């Protein structure tokens, strides 16, 4: 099938909006700008940069993203209310191309218990909000929150009103991940056949992954006529997450016999964007994750290895180069130079500045003195770790741990806090508890430890430990991720990464205006 307009699928990335709503996934301004630049390199069609009225932080992020946008269209979410739409427009107006995305719930459950509005009132809200937004912006998207559980006839009426009022894109979300692929496909097909003016709009879908069917539902919708898919890097998002952008794109690229469509995504940037998001949010990608997991192109079975040596297509349906992963087996060690180190990172999908490379190279040399074998996973952990050790308010300088079966642990920790060196000694219920108590005695907080998780980055007794910490303070949830050959050092750094995020998020919360209504459609 030729690549014509009817077969193009628009990729609407909502990592910075819906993705950020994952507990502990909040990003600061500089982190959001990095993710947006990565999305621009991916060449996605639309980036939903945030929810402008949610907070001053969200507003500023959308505004700054709009200023650096080039070919990528920038979008902000807005409820069906004039103040939301005005706020979205003020943040977006700096972009060369932008979209206002307004939504309202259409299911009986949401209208009765959340909105407390009648059907007629919802229809009136749709007409007014879309018309109001259309006067400010040429590109309007309208969404039916909980669309997959809405009364079909009423949903069709809502869509008809939205298009008549000026929406050029209508989004049918599976908000709670309830739909089954055949069911969702039939819903989109029936909308195509029953909404009188549907030919004047693009049908979009936004599927959640509560039953693990977000990607399947999204792909099924394409066969029924949808031509925009809303998704996120690594599938992050509310609860079980959203449809995974990389899985959607690579399924279309790989299975053209069943999916005769195309996207404009630069797939060679997929791995880099996945790793960047993982490093920034502290959400590790599971090894068996499709497309971007560490094992996605790894072969350990002898039978598989034999097949791969004879012909790579025996066990690989995609080329690793297509997502930005090199087959190169360049071995690095303590005698390797900076140039070889940089080339290896480039081959692995990283494109980093010289200053960042210099700092990462120093850490690599330190690691080489501790470990005999350096694996790709070690380098990934090292570079991802480096993301967290720049511009911190709190930084670990030194850690001494004395513990054993016959003594209470004794911890001495040195921390640079606000430019001053502070040393604390502490004893607690084990070395990790002692470390966290010592850090808390320097940085006062009321955070509760919700998650403490350790896993080995590679095999062997000299493997780096990767530690994930999740803290929650007054409803603010943050994740910290760090790695080191010393588990206690990794634990301290992960805790400090989380505290740095918590301090930043406190500032954002205190300066934000906040809203209480649902932003999850």
């Amino acid at each position: 099938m030729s690549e014509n307009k009817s077969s193009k699928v628009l990729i609407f990335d909502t990592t910075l909006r819906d993705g950020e709503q994952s507990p502990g996934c909040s990003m600061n301004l500089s982190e959001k700008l990095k993710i947006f630049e990565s999305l621009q390199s991916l060449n996605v069609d639309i980036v939903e940069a945030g929810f402008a009225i949610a907070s001053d932080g969200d507003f500023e992020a959308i505004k700054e993203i709009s200023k650096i946008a080039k070919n990528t269209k920038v979008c902000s979410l807005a409820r069906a209310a004039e103040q939301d739409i005005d706020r979205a427009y003020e943040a977006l107006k700096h972009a060369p191309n932008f979209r206002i995305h307004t939504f309202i719930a259409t299911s009986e459950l949401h209208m009765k218990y959340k909105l407390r509005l009648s059907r007629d009132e919802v229809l009136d809200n749709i007409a007014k909000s879309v018309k109001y937004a259309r006067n400010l912006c040429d590109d309007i998207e309208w969404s039916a929150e909980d669309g997959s559980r809405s009364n079909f006839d009423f949903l069709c009426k809502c869509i008809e009103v939205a298009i008549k009022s000026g929406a050029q894109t209508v989004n049918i979300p599976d908000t709670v991940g309830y739909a089954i692929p055949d069911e969702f496909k039939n819903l989109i097909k029936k909308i195509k056949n029953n909404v009188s003016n549907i030919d004047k709009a693009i049908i979009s879908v936004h599927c959640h992954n509560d039953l693990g069917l977000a990607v399947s539902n999204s792909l099924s919708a394409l066969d029924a006529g949808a031509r925009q898919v809303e998704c996120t890097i690594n599938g992050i998002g509310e609860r079980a997450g959203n449809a995974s952008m990389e899985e959607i794109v690579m399924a279309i690229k790989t299975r053209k016999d069943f999916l005769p469509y195309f996207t404009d995504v630069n797939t060679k940037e997929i791995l880099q964007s996945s790793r960047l998001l993982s490093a920034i949010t502290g959400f590790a990608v599971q090894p068996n994750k499709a497309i971007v997991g560490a094992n996605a192109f790894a072969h350990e079975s002898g039978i598989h290895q034999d097949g791969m040596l004879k012909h790579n297509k025996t066990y690989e349906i995609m080329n690793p180069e297509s997502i930005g992963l090199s087959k190169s087996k360049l071995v690095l060690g303590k005698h390797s130079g900076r140039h070889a180190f940089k080339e290896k990172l480039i081959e692995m999908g990283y494109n980093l500045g010289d200053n960042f490379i210099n700092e990462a190279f120093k850490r690599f040399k330190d690691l080489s003195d501790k470990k005999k074998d350096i694996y790709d996973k070690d380098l990934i952990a090292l570079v991802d770790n480096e993301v967290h050790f720049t511009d911190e308010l709190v930084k670990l300088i030194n850690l001494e741990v004395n513990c054993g079966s016959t003594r209470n642990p004794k911890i001495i920790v040195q921390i640079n806090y606000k430019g001053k060196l502070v040393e604390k000694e502490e004893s607690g219920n084990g070395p990790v508890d002692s470390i966290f108590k010592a850090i808390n005695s320097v940085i006062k907080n009321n955070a509760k430890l919700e998650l403490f998780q350790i896993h080995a980055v590679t095999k062997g007794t000299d493997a780096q430990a990767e530690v994930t910490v999740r803290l929650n303070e007054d409803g603010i949830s943050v994740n910290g991720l760090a790695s080191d050959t010393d588990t206690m050092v990794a634990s301290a750094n992960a805790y400090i990464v989380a505290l740095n995020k918590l301090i930043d998020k406190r500032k954002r919360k205190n300066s934000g205006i906040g809203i209480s209504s649902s932003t999850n459609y």
Side-chain angles (χ1 to χ4, degrees), residues 142-339:
W142 174 79
S143 283
E145 184 181 9
D146 207 21
S148 61
R149 294 195 298 173
S150 298
N151 174 274
F152 178 73
D153 291 335
F154 179 63
L155 177 62
C156 287
K157 182 64 177 174
C158 290
I159 295 169
E160 189 175 298
V161 168
I163 295 171
K164 185 179 179 181
S165 301
Q168 298 100 324
T169 303
V170 289
N171 182 43
I172 314 302
D174 183 27
T175 300
V176 292
Y178 184 70
I180 302 298
D182 281 349
E183 175 188 32
F184 198 60
K185 176 181 176 179
N186 288 334
L187 173 62
I188 303 302
K189 188 178 292 184
K190 286 169 66 179
I191 288 170
K192 287 277 287 184
N193 294 333
N194 287 274
V195 176
S196 61
N197 55 357
I198 196 65
D199 60 309
K200 294 180 173 63
I202 293 170
I203 297 178
S204 176
V205 291
H206 179 119
C207 298
H208 279 262
N209 206 39
D210 297 70
L211 293 175
L213 296 170
V215 170
S216 296
N217 283 329
S218 300
L219 295 176
S220 295
L222 295 180
D223 196 36
R227 286 297 178 267
Q228 178 177 289
V229 174
E230 306 195 2
C231 45
T232 61
I233 299 170
N234 296 343
I236 67 167
E238 289 273 8
R239 305 181 312 279
N242 289 267
S244 166
M245 183 272 293
E246 59 275 6
E247 292 177 29
I248 296 284
V249 169
M250 292 308 294
I252 291 172
K253 186 179 178 73
T254 305
R255 293 306 309 269
K256 286 190 176 292
D257 49 343
F258 278 90
L259 300 166
Y261 319 112
F262 72 98
T263 74
D264 287 338
V265 171
N266 177 9
T267 63
K268 291 184 178 180
E269 294 291 327
I270 283 176
L271 192 61
Q272 168 64 9
S273 65
S274 169
R275 288 171 174 170
L276 177 64
L277 181 69
S278 179
I280 285 175
T281 61
F283 273 35
V285 177
Q286 66 194 63
N288 62 327
K289 166 76 169 67
I291 315 299
V292 293
N295 294 344
F297 292 93
H299 308 274
E300 187 169 327
S301 161
I303 294 173
H304 287 208
Q305 289 175 344
D306 179 63
M308 285 294 296
L309 288 170
K310 291 171 179 174
H311 198 292
N312 67 317
K313 291 192 181 296
T314 53
Y315 289 102
E316 283 187 354
I317 61 171
M318 296 168 283
N319 292 326
E321 294 93 343
S322 66
I323 65 161
L325 178 67
S326 175
K327 289 182 179 179
S328 173
K329 297 298 180 182
L330 178 63
V331 177
L332 291 180
K334 65 180 181 179
H335 299 298
S336 299
R338 182 183 177 281
H339 183 259

Side-chain angles (χ1 to χ4, degrees), residues 82 102 134-135 142 207 225 267 281 321 330 360 383 450 468 472:
E82 290 185 5
T102 183
R134 188 67 179 80
N135 287 329
W142 174 79
C207 298
T267 63
T281 61
E321 294 93 343
L330 178 63
V383 175
E450 290 189 331
T468 303
N472 191 304

Side-chain angles (χ1 to χ4, degrees), residues 399-469:
L399 176 67
E400 293 182 21
V401 179
N402 290 291
C403 60
S405 59
T406 60
R407 70 180 80 164
N408 291 326
K410 178 184 176 184
I411 302 297
I412 300 175
V413 64
Q414 288 183 332
I415 297 172
N416 189 310
Y417 181 48
K418 294 183 178 179
K420 295 181 179 179
L421 186 65
V422 183
E423 182 176 300
K424 289 289 181 179
E425 182 178 317
E426 190 63 71
S427 182
N429 185 21
V432 174
D433 181 57
S434 303
I435 291 168
F436 292 176
K437 281 184 176 179
I439 294 170
N440 286 336
S441 69
V442 178
I443 302 100
K444 302 298 181 184
N445 65 86
N446 299 313
K448 293 182 179 179
L449 182 65
E450 290 189 331
L451 174 70
F452 175 71
Q453 181 175 288
I454 305 172
H455 83 269
V457 173
T458 57
K459 299 176 182 178
T461 56
D462 62 351
Q464 290 191 87
E466 187 172 73
V467 177
T468 303
V469 166

